[in-house]
Amino acid sequence: VPCTTEDYNFDTHTCSMSMLENDQSYMNFCQPYTTPPKGCTCEYVKQVEASGQLEGHMKANDIFFGRGSIQISNNFNYIRASATMTGNKDTFCKEPELLSTVESYSWGVGIFI
């Protein structure tokens, strides 16, 4: 859940209001003018659902935030890591969460950086 410092409770580790609520968009970690081959294509991120359990949450594969043993972030770093580590520039662009879920990618990005 993307949260501003003002809305985050550091004692309970909770966010009182997601930056995605009320149909807001989130664009951090994305340079929209950096497109292939220099960066993964990225767009404004919206919440998964307007009400219910996932209200205010986003899909992990929709954003290029810090992942891996040494955190890489932003669409321009994901495309370079993908090309270097998998031989295909689209692998991490299409599924950035692989850097969190596949151990060899998670540790490998530390060597890539």
Side-chain angles (χ1 to χ4, degrees):
V1 174
C3 190
T4 64
T5 303
E6 295 82 28
D7 292 324
Y8 189 76
N9 183 321
F10 289 91
D11 293 328
T12 61
H13 303 292
T14 56
C15 182
S16 61
M17 183 170 161
S18 168
M19 293 172 71
L20 296 173
E21 287 183 30
N22 302 318
D23 207 29
Q24 295 295 311
S25 298
Y26 187 73
M27 191 66 157
N28 290 12
F29 309 109
C30 172
Q31 305 292 327
Y33 53 84
T34 306
T35 58
K38 294 184 178 183
C40 301
T41 301
C42 55
E43 301 174 358
Y44 286 99
V45 176
K46 297 282 193 175
Q47 63 185 344
V48 175
E49 56 187 37
S51 63
Q53 186 176 2
L54 296 177
E55 179 180 3
H57 289 75
M58 62 187 158
K59 293 179 184 176
N61 273 327
D62 286 350
I63 193 159
F64 299 99
F65 58 77
R67 293 182 177 91
S69 60
I70 296 179
Q71 307 269 295
I72 69 162
S73 57
N74 291 301
N75 59 322
F76 52 86
N77 286 326
Y78 273 76
I79 200 166
R80 291 188 296 227
S82 184
T84 301
M85 294 172 58
T86 72
N88 183 336
K89 64 179 177 49
D90 295 326
T91 303
F92 297 153
C93 291
K94 290 180 179 177
E95 213 171 338
E97 194 63 1
L98 289 172
L99 286 170
S100 294
T101 58
V102 177
E103 188 175 346
S104 61
Y105 291 152
S106 184
W107 287 106
V109 76
I111 295 167
F112 166 75
I113 296 291

